[in-house]
Amino acid sequence: MSHCWTTKAIKEIQADYQRSSDTHLIRLNLPTFPGIHLYLKDESTHPTGSLKHRLARSLFLYALSNGWIKEGTPIIESSSGSTAVSEAYFARLLGLPFIAVMPSYTAKRKIQEIEFYGGKCHFVDHSAQIYAESERLAKELNGHYMDQFTYAERATDWRGNNNIAESIFRQMQMEPFPEPDYIVMSAGTGGTSATLGRYIRYQGHNTKLIVVDPENSVFYDCYRQNCCDIVSNCSSKIEGIGRPRAEPSFIPSVIDDMIQVPDCASVATIYWLEKLLGRKVGASTGTNIWGALLLANQMHERGEQGSIVTLLCDSGERYLDTYYNPDWVKNNIGDISLYLKQLPNLCSYK
Ligand SMILES: *Cc1c(COP(=O)(O)O)cnc(C)c1O
């Protein structure tokens, strides 16, 4: 009986996938860096608006295939962000209750998005409590704690199966430099960079994986010092990326190099990109593109041509009160004018 439900649930997710289309790979031209092409994998166009749509789908399929989710199992997740929104979508698709555990000071807009997909929010006082409270709640309700930070790196099929890496390399096939010199990505769970890095090695590509990291994140220090015990008591101000602890899904050995990006640079870059793309993006996309532009500049100075791919992680409409509110930026991020000046007319949209 319950086996039958599981089969139906997996089919339901596969049918949803069949109805979906792949995300675009947008090419930006960099006239000041002739022969260097920058590409953006636009993950904002998933039904739930971010790259976490891929993760949520994988986490549900993994948990269903493991027999961890049955008919009526409540789904619990520690997330106030895009993961909770995407998981709420899939929970509703399967008719399962969904509860996101988050700090009480989470932005209203986020709570509304989760509730829009039929999810509920459960609040704790401090962000450090979300993990233990999720576990406790799952036990109490006889539910399943999804635990994105543990399972992100293993729920995705890194060898292919149309994962994000395979999709990028396929979409690059007809470009002048089909094998990217660099793929640049930031880390939240670390799951996406793990998939990219493993796929690059598995396929024997010469592409280098560069992970960019915001302020108040321990990923960079963990990578440099080869030590995963470092913790911080501050939270990253760039939503979706940068963590106060080295998450289990962050796999340093697949990364070729890391770059630290100041928060002011990340935010300046999204203002600059808006003029180029005609739309707003989230701040983690700013972090990614700042890193990509640094690498383009280095390639240019070495007299090289080639291609760089990075991700557009989510849309800026989610952040009108924060990154697109100049007062909020001044009070929470700082003075971005210096970085805006450093972002010259580097590209034109094509
Ligand atoms: C989760 C997230 C990331 C980072 O992706 P991971 O695969 O979790 O490392 C980047 N940007 C946004 C907006 C995110 O939600």
Side-chain angles (χ1 to χ4, degrees):
M1 188 65 204
S2 101
H3 211 105
C4 171
W5 181 85
T6 303
T7 307
K8 262 199 238 153
I10 291 171
K11 260 211 180 120
E12 193 66 61
I13 295 179
Q14 284 168 337
D16 179 79
Y17 182 62
Q18 193 68 33
R19 295 192 296 272
S20 305
S21 58
D22 201 356
T23 58
H24 302 289
L25 188 65
I26 298 168
R27 186 167 77 190
L28 299 172
N29 271 10
L30 310 174
T32 49
F33 302 138
I36 300 174
H37 301 264
L38 177 59
Y39 299 84
L40 286 182
K41 180 71 168 157
D42 184 2
E43 294 290 294
S44 72
T45 62
H46 288 291
T48 54
S50 82
L51 78 168
K52 290 302 192 312
H53 199 76
R54 291 180 194 273
L55 174 63
R57 183 193 291 128
S58 297
L59 287 170
F60 269 94
L61 286 174
Y62 189 65
L64 284 163
S65 303
N66 278 324
W68 294 341
I69 298 177
K70 304 231 159 62
E71 186 169 8
T73 303
I75 308 299
I76 324 290
E77 182 62 290
S78 49
S79 162
S80 54
S82 31
T83 302
V85 177
S86 299
E87 286 179 357
Y89 170 93
F90 284 101
R92 190 178 66 174
L93 188 71
L94 304 185
L96 301 173
F98 177 79
I99 304 167
V101 178
M102 59 180 69
S104 51
Y105 46 82
T106 300
K108 262 219 179 87
R109 187 181 294 268
K110 282 279 169 59
I111 297 166
Q112 284 166 353
E113 269 186 278
I114 293 162
E115 288 174 347
F116 174 81
Y117 288 111
K120 289 205 170 75
C121 299
H122 177 89
F123 300 103
V124 296
D125 293 333
H126 303 288
S127 61
Q129 299 170 318
I130 58 172
Y131 310 106
E133 181 61 8
S134 300
E135 254 172 61
R136 193 201 62 77
L137 198 63
K139 223 174 237 163
E140 181 188 302
L141 301 175
N142 201 15
H144 174 62
Y145 173 26
M146 281 294 224
D147 196 358
Q148 56 164 337
F149 293 109
T150 299
Y151 294 108
E153 60 90 5
R154 67 193 87 158
T156 299
D157 186 350
W158 49 274
R159 277 168 293 198
N161 201 2
N162 201 36
N163 68 31
I164 190 166
E166 190 176 64
S167 169
I168 287 171
F169 279 91
R170 191 178 55 243
Q171 288 176 318
M172 285 294 290
Q173 271 172 11
M174 294 181 71
E175 297 308 301
F177 301 97
E179 183 172 76
D181 293 77
Y182 299 105
I183 295 183
V184 183
M185 180 53 187
S186 43
T189 63
T192 307
S193 51
T195 300
L196 290 166
R198 287 166 174 163
Y199 185 86
I200 288 167
R201 276 192 188 72
Y202 184 63
Q203 295 290 335
H205 290 298
N206 284 314
T207 306
K208 290 203 160 69
L209 173 66
I210 310 297
V211 170
V212 283
D213 206 32
E215 292 172 31
N216 300 312
S217 173
V218 301
F219 288 143
Y220 181 85
D221 288 334
C222 289
Y223 180 76
R224 284 275 170 264
Q225 297 169 28
N226 200 15
C227 162
C228 282
D229 304 332
I230 306 165
V231 290
S232 139
N233 45 21
C234 299
S235 298
S236 164
K237 288 176 183 159
I238 308 300
E239 282 203 36
I241 62 169
R243 301 289 306 166
R245 63 171 208 187
E247 301 296 348
S249 285
F250 176 71
I251 314 286
S253 56
V254 304
I255 300 168
D256 291 296
D257 203 2
M258 284 191 68
I259 301 173
Q260 258 179 329
V261 178
D263 291 350
C264 285
S266 297
V267 175
T269 305
I270 66 172
Y271 281 70
W272 170 82
L273 186 71
E274 186 180 7
K275 295 218 173 86
L276 214 67
L277 264 184
R279 52 198 169 96
K280 294 177 167 65
V281 299
S284 69
T285 303
T287 315
N288 290 348
I289 292 178
W290 180 267
L293 290 173
L294 280 184
L295 293 165
N297 192 42
Q298 289 172 10
M299 285 175 70
H300 181 63
E301 282 177 352
R302 294 195 297 260
E304 295 170 9
Q305 300 197 333
S307 60
I308 303 174
V309 177
T310 192
L311 268 68
L312 196 172
C313 299
D314 66 353
S315 143
E317 307 305 317
R318 286 180 167 171
Y319 309 105
L320 299 179
D321 309 340
T322 56
Y323 306 122
Y324 289 96
N325 173 349
D327 286 332
W328 187 93
V329 171
K330 211 184 292 161
N331 294 330
N332 293 276
I333 303 288
D335 182 7
I336 64 167
S337 59
L338 240 142
Y339 291 95
L340 272 175
K341 270 186 223 139
Q342 286 182 49
L343 286 159
N345 295 323
L346 285 172
C347 351
S348 65
Y349 184 49
K350 192 176 164 190

PDB file of all heavy atoms in Angstrom, residues 131 213 216-234 242-248 250 252 258 260:
ATOM      1  N   TYR A 131      18.633  23.993  13.580  1.00  0.00           N
ATOM      2  CA  TYR A 131      18.948  22.586  13.285  1.00  0.00           C
ATOM      3  C   TYR A 131      18.329  21.662  14.343  1.00  0.00           C
ATOM      4  O   TYR A 131      17.618  20.706  14.029  1.00  0.00           O
ATOM      5  CB  TYR A 131      20.458  22.370  13.238  1.00  0.00           C
ATOM      6  CG  TYR A 131      21.215  23.354  12.369  1.00  0.00           C
ATOM      7  CD1 TYR A 131      21.980  24.376  12.943  1.00  0.00           C
ATOM      8  CD2 TYR A 131      21.169  23.257  10.972  1.00  0.00           C
ATOM      9  CE1 TYR A 131      22.674  25.270  12.147  1.00  0.00           C
ATOM     10  CE2 TYR A 131      21.866  24.154  10.176  1.00  0.00           C
ATOM     11  CZ  TYR A 131      22.625  25.161  10.768  1.00  0.00           C
ATOM     12  OH  TYR A 131      23.313  26.053   9.990  1.00  0.00           O
ATOM     13  N   ASP A 213      33.017  33.724  -2.042  1.00  0.00           N
ATOM     14  CA  ASP A 213      32.455  33.684  -0.690  1.00  0.00           C
ATOM     15  C   ASP A 213      32.259  35.108  -0.158  1.00  0.00           C
ATOM     16  O   ASP A 213      33.138  35.949  -0.325  1.00  0.00           O
ATOM     17  CB  ASP A 213      33.431  32.902   0.219  1.00  0.00           C
ATOM     18  CG  ASP A 213      32.735  32.253   1.405  1.00  0.00           C
ATOM     19  OD1 ASP A 213      31.561  31.854   1.269  1.00  0.00           O
ATOM     20  OD2 ASP A 213      33.382  32.134   2.467  1.00  0.00           O
ATOM     21  N   ASN A 216      31.608  37.371   6.492  1.00  0.00           N
ATOM     22  CA  ASN A 216      30.952  36.628   7.592  1.00  0.00           C
ATOM     23  C   ASN A 216      30.655  35.170   7.246  1.00  0.00           C
ATOM     24  O   ASN A 216      29.720  34.581   7.783  1.00  0.00           O
ATOM     25  CB  ASN A 216      29.633  37.292   8.013  1.00  0.00           C
ATOM     26  CG  ASN A 216      29.852  38.714   8.493  1.00  0.00           C
ATOM     27  OD1 ASN A 216      30.735  38.967   9.291  1.00  0.00           O
ATOM     28  ND2 ASN A 216      29.082  39.643   7.964  1.00  0.00           N
ATOM     29  N   SER A 217      31.433  34.603   6.352  1.00  0.00           N
ATOM     30  CA  SER A 217      31.272  33.187   6.027  1.00  0.00           C
ATOM     31  C   SER A 217      32.569  32.468   6.355  1.00  0.00           C
ATOM     32  O   SER A 217      33.647  33.040   6.188  1.00  0.00           O
ATOM     33  CB  SER A 217      30.967  33.031   4.538  1.00  0.00           C
ATOM     34  OG  SER A 217      30.962  31.663   4.191  1.00  0.00           O
ATOM     35  N   VAL A 218      32.477  31.228   6.824  1.00  0.00           N
ATOM     36  CA  VAL A 218      33.701  30.500   7.181  1.00  0.00           C
ATOM     37  C   VAL A 218      34.231  29.635   6.037  1.00  0.00           C
ATOM     38  O   VAL A 218      35.312  29.059   6.145  1.00  0.00           O
ATOM     39  CB  VAL A 218      33.503  29.596   8.433  1.00  0.00           C
ATOM     40  CG1 VAL A 218      33.080  30.429   9.625  1.00  0.00           C
ATOM     41  CG2 VAL A 218      32.498  28.490   8.158  1.00  0.00           C
ATOM     42  N   PHE A 219      33.461  29.531   4.938  1.00  0.00           N
ATOM     43  CA  PHE A 219      33.891  28.637   3.851  1.00  0.00           C
ATOM     44  C   PHE A 219      35.308  28.980   3.355  1.00  0.00           C
ATOM     45  O   PHE A 219      36.130  28.090   3.154  1.00  0.00           O
ATOM     46  CB  PHE A 219      32.912  28.703   2.668  1.00  0.00           C
ATOM     47  CG  PHE A 219      31.579  28.038   2.921  1.00  0.00           C
ATOM     48  CD1 PHE A 219      30.406  28.594   2.416  1.00  0.00           C
ATOM     49  CD2 PHE A 219      31.483  26.853   3.633  1.00  0.00           C
ATOM     50  CE1 PHE A 219      29.172  27.990   2.618  1.00  0.00           C
ATOM     51  CE2 PHE A 219      30.253  26.229   3.848  1.00  0.00           C
ATOM     52  CZ  PHE A 219      29.098  26.806   3.337  1.00  0.00           C
ATOM     53  N   TYR A 220      35.573  30.282   3.180  1.00  0.00           N
ATOM     54  CA  TYR A 220      36.875  30.692   2.635  1.00  0.00           C
ATOM     55  C   TYR A 220      38.024  30.266   3.563  1.00  0.00           C
ATOM     56  O   TYR A 220      39.007  29.671   3.117  1.00  0.00           O
ATOM     57  CB  TYR A 220      36.893  32.207   2.411  1.00  0.00           C
ATOM     58  CG  TYR A 220      38.194  32.709   1.819  1.00  0.00           C
ATOM     59  CD1 TYR A 220      38.413  32.690   0.447  1.00  0.00           C
ATOM     60  CD2 TYR A 220      39.214  33.198   2.643  1.00  0.00           C
ATOM     61  CE1 TYR A 220      39.603  33.128  -0.105  1.00  0.00           C
ATOM     62  CE2 TYR A 220      40.414  33.646   2.107  1.00  0.00           C
ATOM     63  CZ  TYR A 220      40.605  33.611   0.728  1.00  0.00           C
ATOM     64  OH  TYR A 220      41.784  34.040   0.204  1.00  0.00           O
ATOM     65  N   ASP A 221      37.882  30.541   4.845  1.00  0.00           N
ATOM     66  CA  ASP A 221      38.945  30.180   5.804  1.00  0.00           C
ATOM     67  C   ASP A 221      39.099  28.667   5.917  1.00  0.00           C
ATOM     68  O   ASP A 221      40.214  28.162   6.051  1.00  0.00           O
ATOM     69  CB  ASP A 221      38.654  30.784   7.185  1.00  0.00           C
ATOM     70  CG  ASP A 221      38.862  32.293   7.182  1.00  0.00           C
ATOM     71  OD1 ASP A 221      39.659  32.783   6.348  1.00  0.00           O
ATOM     72  OD2 ASP A 221      38.220  32.990   7.990  1.00  0.00           O
ATOM     73  N   CYS A 222      37.976  27.958   5.873  1.00  0.00           N
ATOM     74  CA  CYS A 222      38.033  26.490   5.916  1.00  0.00           C
ATOM     75  C   CYS A 222      38.835  25.965   4.738  1.00  0.00           C
ATOM     76  O   CYS A 222      39.655  25.053   4.884  1.00  0.00           O
ATOM     77  CB  CYS A 222      36.634  25.887   5.857  1.00  0.00           C
ATOM     78  SG  CYS A 222      35.710  26.158   7.350  1.00  0.00           S
ATOM     79  N   TYR A 223      38.609  26.564   3.576  1.00  0.00           N
ATOM     80  CA  TYR A 223      39.303  26.122   2.364  1.00  0.00           C
ATOM     81  C   TYR A 223      40.797  26.424   2.454  1.00  0.00           C
ATOM     82  O   TYR A 223      41.639  25.568   2.215  1.00  0.00           O
ATOM     83  CB  TYR A 223      38.680  26.817   1.151  1.00  0.00           C
ATOM     84  CG  TYR A 223      39.314  26.435  -0.164  1.00  0.00           C
ATOM     85  CD1 TYR A 223      39.025  25.202  -0.752  1.00  0.00           C
ATOM     86  CD2 TYR A 223      40.185  27.298  -0.830  1.00  0.00           C
ATOM     87  CE1 TYR A 223      39.598  24.841  -1.960  1.00  0.00           C
ATOM     88  CE2 TYR A 223      40.764  26.943  -2.036  1.00  0.00           C
ATOM     89  CZ  TYR A 223      40.464  25.712  -2.598  1.00  0.00           C
ATOM     90  OH  TYR A 223      41.042  25.353  -3.797  1.00  0.00           O
ATOM     91  N   ARG A 224      41.130  27.660   2.853  1.00  0.00           N
ATOM     92  CA  ARG A 224      42.529  28.079   2.914  1.00  0.00           C
ATOM     93  C   ARG A 224      43.299  27.298   3.982  1.00  0.00           C
ATOM     94  O   ARG A 224      44.444  26.929   3.792  1.00  0.00           O
ATOM     95  CB  ARG A 224      42.623  29.577   3.228  1.00  0.00           C
ATOM     96  CG  ARG A 224      42.307  30.465   2.051  1.00  0.00           C
ATOM     97  CD  ARG A 224      43.525  30.711   1.159  1.00  0.00           C
ATOM     98  NE  ARG A 224      43.121  31.373  -0.079  1.00  0.00           N
ATOM     99  CZ  ARG A 224      42.876  30.747  -1.232  1.00  0.00           C
ATOM    100  NH1 ARG A 224      43.023  29.451  -1.321  1.00  0.00           N
ATOM    101  NH2 ARG A 224      42.489  31.424  -2.292  1.00  0.00           N
ATOM    102  N   GLN A 225      42.669  27.096   5.139  1.00  0.00           N
ATOM    103  CA  GLN A 225      43.374  26.464   6.263  1.00  0.00           C
ATOM    104  C   GLN A 225      43.161  24.960   6.313  1.00  0.00           C
ATOM    105  O   GLN A 225      43.674  24.296   7.216  1.00  0.00           O
ATOM    106  CB  GLN A 225      42.917  27.109   7.580  1.00  0.00           C
ATOM    107  CG  GLN A 225      43.278  28.592   7.652  1.00  0.00           C
ATOM    108  CD  GLN A 225      42.589  29.283   8.821  1.00  0.00           C
ATOM    109  OE1 GLN A 225      42.285  28.666   9.834  1.00  0.00           O
ATOM    110  NE2 GLN A 225      42.329  30.577   8.679  1.00  0.00           N
ATOM    111  N   ASN A 226      42.400  24.451   5.342  1.00  0.00           N
ATOM    112  CA  ASN A 226      42.147  23.025   5.269  1.00  0.00           C
ATOM    113  C   ASN A 226      41.620  22.490   6.615  1.00  0.00           C
ATOM    114  O   ASN A 226      42.106  21.497   7.151  1.00  0.00           O
ATOM    115  CB  ASN A 226      43.429  22.293   4.855  1.00  0.00           C
ATOM    116  CG  ASN A 226      43.127  20.916   4.306  1.00  0.00           C
ATOM    117  OD1 ASN A 226      41.973  20.611   3.979  1.00  0.00           O
ATOM    118  ND2 ASN A 226      44.144  20.079   4.217  1.00  0.00           N
ATOM    119  N   CYS A 227      40.639  23.209   7.154  1.00  0.00           N
ATOM    120  CA  CYS A 227      40.115  22.872   8.476  1.00  0.00           C
ATOM    121  C   CYS A 227      38.629  23.208   8.485  1.00  0.00           C
ATOM    122  O   CYS A 227      38.249  24.309   8.123  1.00  0.00           O
ATOM    123  CB  CYS A 227      40.857  23.703   9.517  1.00  0.00           C
ATOM    124  SG  CYS A 227      40.022  23.789  11.090  1.00  0.00           S
ATOM    125  N   CYS A 228      37.823  22.252   8.867  1.00  0.00           N
ATOM    126  CA  CYS A 228      36.378  22.488   8.786  1.00  0.00           C
ATOM    127  C   CYS A 228      35.723  22.749  10.144  1.00  0.00           C
ATOM    128  O   CYS A 228      34.503  22.701  10.280  1.00  0.00           O
ATOM    129  CB  CYS A 228      35.708  21.344   8.039  1.00  0.00           C
ATOM    130  SG  CYS A 228      35.948  21.520   6.262  1.00  0.00           S
ATOM    131  N   ASP A 229      36.537  23.055  11.184  1.00  0.00           N
ATOM    132  CA  ASP A 229      35.985  23.310  12.515  1.00  0.00           C
ATOM    133  C   ASP A 229      35.730  24.788  12.794  1.00  0.00           C
ATOM    134  O   ASP A 229      35.248  25.138  13.869  1.00  0.00           O
ATOM    135  CB  ASP A 229      36.941  22.802  13.602  1.00  0.00           C
ATOM    136  CG  ASP A 229      37.258  21.334  13.416  1.00  0.00           C
ATOM    137  OD1 ASP A 229      36.393  20.634  12.863  1.00  0.00           O
ATOM    138  OD2 ASP A 229      38.358  20.906  13.812  1.00  0.00           O
ATOM    139  N   ILE A 230      36.115  25.651  11.856  1.00  0.00           N
ATOM    140  CA  ILE A 230      35.993  27.086  12.106  1.00  0.00           C
ATOM    141  C   ILE A 230      34.511  27.481  12.148  1.00  0.00           C
ATOM    142  O   ILE A 230      33.729  27.051  11.307  1.00  0.00           O
ATOM    143  CB  ILE A 230      36.707  27.880  10.985  1.00  0.00           C
ATOM    144  CG1 ILE A 230      38.156  27.388  10.847  1.00  0.00           C
ATOM    145  CG2 ILE A 230      36.657  29.374  11.254  1.00  0.00           C
ATOM    146  CD1 ILE A 230      38.825  27.835   9.563  1.00  0.00           C
ATOM    147  N   VAL A 231      34.131  28.259  13.159  1.00  0.00           N
ATOM    148  CA  VAL A 231      32.755  28.774  13.207  1.00  0.00           C
ATOM    149  C   VAL A 231      32.783  30.284  13.406  1.00  0.00           C
ATOM    150  O   VAL A 231      33.777  30.847  13.859  1.00  0.00           O
ATOM    151  CB  VAL A 231      31.909  28.138  14.344  1.00  0.00           C
ATOM    152  CG1 VAL A 231      31.591  26.687  14.055  1.00  0.00           C
ATOM    153  CG2 VAL A 231      32.613  28.275  15.674  1.00  0.00           C
ATOM    154  N   SER A 232      31.684  30.923  13.037  1.00  0.00           N
ATOM    155  CA  SER A 232      31.589  32.374  13.210  1.00  0.00           C
ATOM    156  C   SER A 232      30.295  32.653  13.947  1.00  0.00           C
ATOM    157  O   SER A 232      29.368  31.836  13.912  1.00  0.00           O
ATOM    158  CB  SER A 232      31.613  33.045  11.827  1.00  0.00           C
ATOM    159  OG  SER A 232      30.683  34.090  11.768  1.00  0.00           O
ATOM    160  N   ASN A 233      30.209  33.779  14.660  1.00  0.00           N
ATOM    161  CA  ASN A 233      28.931  34.063  15.316  1.00  0.00           C
ATOM    162  C   ASN A 233      28.135  35.142  14.597  1.00  0.00           C
ATOM    163  O   ASN A 233      27.141  35.633  15.101  1.00  0.00           O
ATOM    164  CB  ASN A 233      29.109  34.388  16.804  1.00  0.00           C
ATOM    165  CG  ASN A 233      30.257  35.333  17.041  1.00  0.00           C
ATOM    166  OD1 ASN A 233      30.667  36.043  16.111  1.00  0.00           O
ATOM    167  ND2 ASN A 233      30.782  35.356  18.251  1.00  0.00           N
ATOM    168  N   CYS A 234      28.595  35.508  13.377  1.00  0.00           N
ATOM    169  CA  CYS A 234      27.836  36.445  12.544  1.00  0.00           C
ATOM    170  C   CYS A 234      27.204  35.689  11.382  1.00  0.00           C
ATOM    171  O   CYS A 234      27.702  34.652  10.981  1.00  0.00           O
ATOM    172  CB  CYS A 234      28.748  37.514  11.953  1.00  0.00           C
ATOM    173  SG  CYS A 234      29.550  38.507  13.180  1.00  0.00           S
ATOM    174  N   GLY A 242      27.139  31.876   2.033  1.00  0.00           N
ATOM    175  CA  GLY A 242      27.966  32.205   3.185  1.00  0.00           C
ATOM    176  C   GLY A 242      27.360  31.620   4.440  1.00  0.00           C
ATOM    177  O   GLY A 242      26.187  31.840   4.726  1.00  0.00           O
ATOM    178  N   ARG A 243      28.104  30.817   5.183  1.00  0.00           N
ATOM    179  CA  ARG A 243      27.564  30.176   6.371  1.00  0.00           C
ATOM    180  C   ARG A 243      28.497  30.381   7.555  1.00  0.00           C
ATOM    181  O   ARG A 243      29.703  30.494   7.401  1.00  0.00           O
ATOM    182  CB  ARG A 243      27.376  28.666   6.139  1.00  0.00           C
ATOM    183  CG  ARG A 243      26.463  28.300   4.986  1.00  0.00           C
ATOM    184  CD  ARG A 243      25.020  28.583   5.252  1.00  0.00           C
ATOM    185  NE  ARG A 243      24.548  27.965   6.481  1.00  0.00           N
ATOM    186  CZ  ARG A 243      23.409  28.283   7.076  1.00  0.00           C
ATOM    187  NH1 ARG A 243      22.623  29.192   6.556  1.00  0.00           N
ATOM    188  NH2 ARG A 243      23.067  27.688   8.194  1.00  0.00           N
ATOM    189  N   PRO A 244      27.920  30.383   8.793  1.00  0.00           N
ATOM    190  CA  PRO A 244      28.743  30.517  10.005  1.00  0.00           C
ATOM    191  C   PRO A 244      29.405  29.208  10.422  1.00  0.00           C
ATOM    192  O   PRO A 244      30.175  29.182  11.361  1.00  0.00           O
ATOM    193  CB  PRO A 244      27.735  30.978  11.059  1.00  0.00           C
ATOM    194  CG  PRO A 244      26.418  30.494  10.587  1.00  0.00           C
ATOM    195  CD  PRO A 244      26.481  30.428   9.084  1.00  0.00           C
ATOM    196  N   ARG A 245      29.092  28.107   9.759  1.00  0.00           N
ATOM    197  CA  ARG A 245      29.779  26.829  10.022  1.00  0.00           C
ATOM    198  C   ARG A 245      30.030  26.140   8.674  1.00  0.00           C
ATOM    199  O   ARG A 245      29.322  26.408   7.698  1.00  0.00           O
ATOM    200  CB  ARG A 245      28.945  25.931  10.944  1.00  0.00           C
ATOM    201  CG  ARG A 245      27.616  25.520  10.343  1.00  0.00           C
ATOM    202  CD  ARG A 245      26.874  24.457  11.165  1.00  0.00           C
ATOM    203  NE  ARG A 245      26.028  23.664  10.271  1.00  0.00           N
ATOM    204  CZ  ARG A 245      25.145  22.755  10.649  1.00  0.00           C
ATOM    205  NH1 ARG A 245      24.957  22.515  11.930  1.00  0.00           N
ATOM    206  NH2 ARG A 245      24.432  22.069   9.784  1.00  0.00           N
ATOM    207  N   ALA A 246      31.046  25.278   8.623  1.00  0.00           N
ATOM    208  CA  ALA A 246      31.336  24.569   7.378  1.00  0.00           C
ATOM    209  C   ALA A 246      30.295  23.475   7.216  1.00  0.00           C
ATOM    210  O   ALA A 246      30.312  22.478   7.919  1.00  0.00           O
ATOM    211  CB  ALA A 246      32.737  23.977   7.424  1.00  0.00           C
ATOM    212  N   GLU A 247      29.344  23.676   6.331  1.00  0.00           N
ATOM    213  CA  GLU A 247      28.250  22.724   6.168  1.00  0.00           C
ATOM    214  C   GLU A 247      28.781  21.414   5.587  1.00  0.00           C
ATOM    215  O   GLU A 247      29.713  21.414   4.789  1.00  0.00           O
ATOM    216  CB  GLU A 247      27.171  23.325   5.257  1.00  0.00           C
ATOM    217  CG  GLU A 247      26.557  24.631   5.763  1.00  0.00           C
ATOM    218  CD  GLU A 247      25.798  24.466   7.088  1.00  0.00           C
ATOM    219  OE1 GLU A 247      25.553  23.317   7.497  1.00  0.00           O
ATOM    220  OE2 GLU A 247      25.474  25.494   7.713  1.00  0.00           O
ATOM    221  N   PRO A 248      28.142  20.300   5.969  1.00  0.00           N
ATOM    222  CA  PRO A 248      28.615  18.992   5.478  1.00  0.00           C
ATOM    223  C   PRO A 248      28.593  18.859   3.954  1.00  0.00           C
ATOM    224  O   PRO A 248      29.348  18.065   3.405  1.00  0.00           O
ATOM    225  CB  PRO A 248      27.637  17.998   6.102  1.00  0.00           C
ATOM    226  CG  PRO A 248      26.852  18.738   7.117  1.00  0.00           C
ATOM    227  CD  PRO A 248      27.028  20.198   6.913  1.00  0.00           C
ATOM    228  N   PHE A 250      29.535  21.124   1.855  1.00  0.00           N
ATOM    229  CA  PHE A 250      30.612  21.925   1.265  1.00  0.00           C
ATOM    230  C   PHE A 250      31.831  21.014   1.111  1.00  0.00           C
ATOM    231  O   PHE A 250      32.384  20.530   2.105  1.00  0.00           O
ATOM    232  CB  PHE A 250      30.918  23.114   2.173  1.00  0.00           C
ATOM    233  CG  PHE A 250      32.074  23.953   1.724  1.00  0.00           C
ATOM    234  CD1 PHE A 250      31.972  24.761   0.590  1.00  0.00           C
ATOM    235  CD2 PHE A 250      33.276  23.959   2.422  1.00  0.00           C
ATOM    236  CE1 PHE A 250      33.041  25.544   0.176  1.00  0.00           C
ATOM    237  CE2 PHE A 250      34.346  24.743   2.017  1.00  0.00           C
ATOM    238  CZ  PHE A 250      34.228  25.528   0.892  1.00  0.00           C
ATOM    239  N   PRO A 252      35.485  20.913  -0.111  1.00  0.00           N
ATOM    240  CA  PRO A 252      36.618  21.739  -0.566  1.00  0.00           C
ATOM    241  C   PRO A 252      37.470  21.069  -1.647  1.00  0.00           C
ATOM    242  O   PRO A 252      38.010  21.755  -2.514  1.00  0.00           O
ATOM    243  CB  PRO A 252      37.457  21.927   0.715  1.00  0.00           C
ATOM    244  CG  PRO A 252      36.538  21.632   1.844  1.00  0.00           C
ATOM    245  CD  PRO A 252      35.542  20.643   1.333  1.00  0.00           C
ATOM    246  N   MET A 258      39.363  29.729  -4.358  1.00  0.00           N
ATOM    247  CA  MET A 258      38.273  30.528  -3.804  1.00  0.00           C
ATOM    248  C   MET A 258      38.648  32.002  -3.816  1.00  0.00           C
ATOM    249  O   MET A 258      39.826  32.354  -3.729  1.00  0.00           O
ATOM    250  CB  MET A 258      37.933  30.068  -2.371  1.00  0.00           C
ATOM    251  CG  MET A 258      37.136  28.773  -2.340  1.00  0.00           C
ATOM    252  SD  MET A 258      36.445  28.359  -0.711  1.00  0.00           S
ATOM    253  CE  MET A 258      35.203  29.660  -0.474  1.00  0.00           C
ATOM    254  N   GLN A 260      37.363  35.787  -2.005  1.00  0.00           N
ATOM    255  CA  GLN A 260      36.474  36.486  -1.070  1.00  0.00           C
ATOM    256  C   GLN A 260      35.948  37.752  -1.746  1.00  0.00           C
ATOM    257  O   GLN A 260      36.727  38.506  -2.329  1.00  0.00           O
ATOM    258  CB  GLN A 260      37.256  36.872   0.179  1.00  0.00           C
ATOM    259  CG  GLN A 260      36.978  35.952   1.343  1.00  0.00           C
ATOM    260  CD  GLN A 260      37.765  36.305   2.578  1.00  0.00           C
ATOM    261  OE1 GLN A 260      38.884  36.813   2.483  1.00  0.00           O
ATOM    262  NE2 GLN A 260      37.195  36.017   3.728  1.00  0.00           N
TER     263      GLN A 260
END
